[in-house]
Amino acid sequence: MSGETDLLTILSNMQPVLNDGDYVFVSVDHSYPLNLRHVHGIFKEKEGITLILKKDKADDLGLDYGYVASCITLNIHSALEAVGFTAAISNTLANNGISCNVVAAYYHDHIFIDKQDAEISMEILQGLMNHYKLKK
């Protein structure tokens, strides 16, 4: 099942949702015993395995982190080959002084922003979506 590729359609229907909880990025050794039930996201790098998980679970496991994030899911099934979606989101947030880490999964994109920027990020993304709805 492929996702939407038309940028105007994606932006005007992205439906951002702020997920509950705090998220952290941690790095563990390649030999770390993973339990995928606890992991929100994973990426294998040369230096180690990056895990994205709830802050409470990282605390329970004694894992070190620095950055505490909120996660906004964009509830449109955008195609992985869609051009410009990530750029539009990251540029809009950057123009408002907000850093973001975008994770493109199979069905949805997930935007990790500093916890303190969660509410304003939601307002900005809703505004962006509404702007493109008017263009349709």
Side-chain angles (χ1 to χ4, degrees):
M1 175 182 200
S2 73
E4 181 61 55
T5 58
D6 179 70
L7 184 58
L8 181 58
T9 300
I10 295 169
L11 289 169
S12 62
N13 292 288
M14 63 182 175
Q15 298 296 326
V17 173
L18 180 60
N19 296 295
D20 291 333
D22 298 334
Y23 295 83
V24 296
F25 289 67
V26 303
S27 180
V28 296
D29 187 73
H30 289 112
S31 63
Y32 187 83
L34 289 177
N35 183 340
L36 292 179
R37 289 192 323 244
H38 305 302
V39 178
H40 193 72
I42 184 170
F43 199 88
K44 185 177 178 182
E45 300 179 281
K46 179 180 70 174
E47 300 86 353
I49 298 174
T50 297
L51 304 176
I52 305 169
L53 54 150
K54 292 274 185 116
K55 179 184 173 296
D56 293 344
K57 183 48 69 178
D59 290 339
D60 291 346
L61 296 171
L63 298 172
D64 293 328
Y65 55 85
Y67 176 71
V68 178
S70 291
C71 178
I72 297 172
T73 296
L74 303 175
N75 279 323
I76 184 162
H77 182 188
S78 58
L80 290 168
E81 67 271 17
V83 176
F85 187 36
T86 301
I89 299 302
S90 61
N91 286 336
T92 299
L93 291 172
N95 289 339
N96 286 277
I98 298 170
S99 169
C100 70
N101 293 283
V102 180
V103 175
Y106 188 83
Y107 292 103
H108 306 289
D109 291 81
H110 307 275
I111 315 300
F112 292 88
I113 38 85
D114 193 289
K115 181 181 172 177
Q116 68 186 12
D117 295 325
E119 294 300 326
I120 190 69
S121 295
M122 282 295 295
E123 291 175 22
I124 291 165
L125 293 174
Q126 288 283 357
L128 180 65
M129 181 181 69
N130 292 335
H131 170 78
Y132 281 98
K133 277 186 178 185
L134 295 174
K135 289 188 170 212
K136 282 191 94 176

